[in-house]
Amino acid sequence: SGSWYSQSGTGSPLNNFPVSAPFSGTFAAMTDQGGPGSHILYQDILLPAASTNTLTFSHYVKNTAAFSQRDSLSYNTFPNQQFRVDVLDSTSSNFFGASTAGVLTNIFQAASNTTDYQTLNFDLTSFAGSTIRLAFREVDNQGYFNTGIDNVIINSTASTAVPEPFTIIGTIIGGTAALRLKKKLKVIAS
């Protein structure tokens, strides 16, 4: 049971358990539940080609049970109490099966609670020019588990090739020669 909800203030969205206020602004996304469940929040993202792509996000973790990272994100696998952030293949639909199915890279896996939101940065440049699925996944079957996500940003900066000094000089000289040649041709042609 449960889901990802819009959270504001210092109470969890469903049960009003004490949690940290959103990191930035008024709202964050947060899991809350009344019983065991598997929850995913994801977005497909086309990363620009020939660019540097950096993911930044803030997360909050309040787990009332022991962390147990299993090879499954199903709440039917016991015990299973985990939160992870993955880059998935954009065609992957195995959200709650094997935790590594369709995973291109794991960005984060919670191993302890946080008292406040923590900010992480991750370089996505190796995926430039492709569509990825950014997935925040949480499973709980041992106790309440509040996971908050806020301030998710992908900063893309176009990569520009800096020409070697010889290339610049060659272009200037070649361009000058072409201009002179053009003038001479013009003169000859008239």
Side-chain angles (χ1 to χ4, degrees), residues 5 22 186:
Y5 300 95
K186 213 175 199 183

Side-chain angles (χ1 to χ4, degrees), residues 91-160:
T91 62
S92 177
S93 60
N94 184 4
F95 297 126
F96 305 118
S99 60
T100 56
V103 174
L104 300 175
T105 191
N106 173 255
I107 295 173
F108 174 77
Q109 186 151 9
S112 63
N113 287 331
T114 60
T115 56
D116 217 344
Y117 276 85
Q118 306 294 312
T119 300
L120 292 175
N121 296 300
F122 190 82
D123 185 4
L124 296 172
T125 303
S126 63
F127 303 108
S130 61
T131 300
I132 61 166
R133 179 166 288 161
L134 179 60
F136 300 92
R137 304 191 288 174
E138 179 268 342
V139 59
D140 56 86
N141 63 16
Q142 301 299 296
Y144 293 102
F145 198 161
N146 299 119
T147 299
I149 297 295
D150 199 3
N151 210 31
V152 179
I153 299 167
I154 294 181
N155 186 13
S156 295
T157 306
S159 300
T160 55

Side-chain angles (χ1 to χ4, degrees), residues 4 50 72-73 102 117 129 141 143 153 180:
W4 285 92
S72 169
L73 292 165
Y117 276 85
N141 63 16
I153 299 167
R180 287 188 183 164

